[in-house]
């Protein structure tokens, strides 16, 4: 069975602090994809990153970086120098299990990040 | 602009009164899906469709129906809504491809349903 665990339910930091959101996944597939989505207070889901299981290179996009480690089945997300606008719920998701031409997304329960001024 | 459009964005209604949440995408995507989001549970898949006239159950299909008569539209139907269907609903679409092509899903802005 596929499963995504985000152990941190809520995190609160002060602006300019670095913060890491943890994501641990389970799957029996050897090929799979991992995603991060952001849900700001307005409610929409914003796609941040997709990473396939064959690419363990870390990725950096501005203040965002992702650390993918197959050995520990983790795909952690770090925000450097956090800002108030980063306040949101962040979801990690696993795409595994063929579903007729696309892959079913299994979501973690989300981590609510609050960045205080 | 590429987008997934859901309507209504908000709805308060009563138990048993049939309702439909519409979903439309303009990206010519074959794959469409409905999710519900509940506090502490994340997002769970209700139904999905891999193409016109092809639909199948997700993880929590009870109490819902869907149809896919046109490629761009994938309405979610609650024939007899109940309070436990009060939730935030998302429609999503993506391109299909070969196994493990895993294109990102594009999400609508969500529909908040309250069933009294």
């Amino acid at each position: 069975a596929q499963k995504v665990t985000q152990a941190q339910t809520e995190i609160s930091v002060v602006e300019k602090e670095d913060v890491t959101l943890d994501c641990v996944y389970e799957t029996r597939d050897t090929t799979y994809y991992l995603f991060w989505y952001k849900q700001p207070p307005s409610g929409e889901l914003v796609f941040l990153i997709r990473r396939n299981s064959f690419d363990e290179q870390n990725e950096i996009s501005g203040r965002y970086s992702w650390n993918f480690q197959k050995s520990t089945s983790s795909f952690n997300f770090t925000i450097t120098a956090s800002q108030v606008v980063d306040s949101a719920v962040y979801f990690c998701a696993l795409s595994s299990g063929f579903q007729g031409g696309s892959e079913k997304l299994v979501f973690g329960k989300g981590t609510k990040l609050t960045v205080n001024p | 602009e590429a987008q997934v459009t859901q309507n209504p964005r908000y709805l308060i209604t009563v138990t048993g009164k049939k309702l439909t949440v519409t979903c439309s995408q303009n990206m010519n995507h074959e794959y469409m899906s409905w999710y519900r989001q509940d506090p502490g549970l994340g997002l769970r898949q209700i139904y999905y469709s891999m193409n016109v006239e092809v639909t199948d159950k997700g993880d929590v299909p009870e109490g819902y129906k869907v149809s896919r008569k046109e490629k761009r539209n994938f309405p979610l139907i609650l024939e007899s809504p109940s309070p436990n269907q009060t939730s935030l609903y998302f429609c999503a679409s993506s391109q299909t491809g070969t196994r493990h092509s895993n294109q990102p899903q594009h999400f609508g802005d969500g529909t908040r349903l309250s069933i009294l």
Side-chain angles (χ1 to χ4, degrees):
Chain A
Q2 291 76 39
K3 185 179 179 181
V4 175
T5 301
Q6 295 179 254
Q8 304 149 308
T9 306
E10 294 193 41
I11 300 175
S12 183
V13 299
V14 176
E15 210 169 15
K16 297 185 183 175
E17 282 186 28
D18 298 347
V19 56
T20 295
L21 309 182
D22 297 333
C23 173
V24 174
Y25 63 91
E26 295 175 31
T27 181
R28 292 182 181 175
D29 282 4
T30 54
T31 303
Y32 51 89
Y33 282 74
L34 295 162
F35 301 79
W36 276 94
Y37 285 86
K38 174 184 179 179
Q39 186 176 42
S42 49
E44 72 272 19
L45 283 165
V46 179
F47 165 74
L48 295 177
I49 190 171
R50 174 184 62 157
R51 175 53 54 88
N52 75 54
S53 54
F54 297 115
D55 183 2
E56 287 193 71
Q57 271 196 325
N58 290 334
E59 182 155 341
I60 298 175
S61 176
R63 296 184 297 106
Y64 295 171
S65 62
W66 291 269
N67 183 319
F68 176 31
Q69 293 195 341
K70 284 178 80 170
S71 59
T72 57
S73 297
S74 64
F75 186 45
N76 296 336
F77 174 30
T78 297
I79 302 174
T80 302
S82 59
Q83 300 176 1
V84 173
V85 294
D86 295 327
S87 297
V89 179
Y90 290 86
F91 290 98
C92 180
L94 167 68
S95 183
S96 178
F98 194 62
Q99 199 176 61
S102 188
E103 311 287 322
K104 176 181 175 179
L105 273 179
V106 176
F107 285 84
K109 295 181 179 179
T111 297
K112 182 178 181 181
L113 173 65
T114 302
V115 181
N116 299 299
Chain B
E1 179 189 351
Q3 59 185 1
V4 178
T5 303
Q6 297 178 226
N7 279 296
R9 292 292 313 278
Y10 304 91
L11 178 64
I12 300 174
T13 187
V14 296
T15 299
K17 185 175 181 183
K18 181 180 178 181
L19 67 91
T20 299
V21 184
T22 63
C23 173
S24 180
Q25 50 93 5
N26 63 0
M27 296 166 279
N28 203 37
H29 286 164
E30 289 87 3
Y31 182 89
M32 298 186 74
S33 182
W34 276 102
Y35 297 86
R36 61 177 288 174
Q37 182 183 357
D38 301 290
L41 296 178
L43 283 85
R44 295 176 293 168
Q45 190 183 54
I46 303 171
Y47 268 95
Y48 69 94
S49 168
M50 49 187 273
N51 215 326
V52 176
E53 301 293 1
V54 182
T55 64
D56 209 345
K57 296 176 181 179
D59 295 321
V60 288
E62 294 79 19
Y64 304 94
K65 286 175 60 178
V66 292
S67 69
R68 189 89 182 275
K69 295 179 179 157
E70 304 165 285
K71 196 172 188 180
R72 63 183 290 127
N73 296 323
F74 190 43
L76 179 69
I77 303 156
L78 285 70
E79 294 270 3
S80 182
S82 62
N84 64 11
Q85 293 177 297
T86 292
S87 188
L88 177 59
Y89 292 85
F90 287 98
C91 179
S93 73
S94 69
Q95 292 179 327
T96 58
T98 56
R99 185 186 180 110
H100 301 306
S101 60
N102 296 90
Q103 297 302 310
Q105 293 191 19
H106 298 259
F107 285 83
D109 287 342
T111 295
R112 190 167 292 280
L113 286 184
S114 294
I115 316 294
L116 305 178

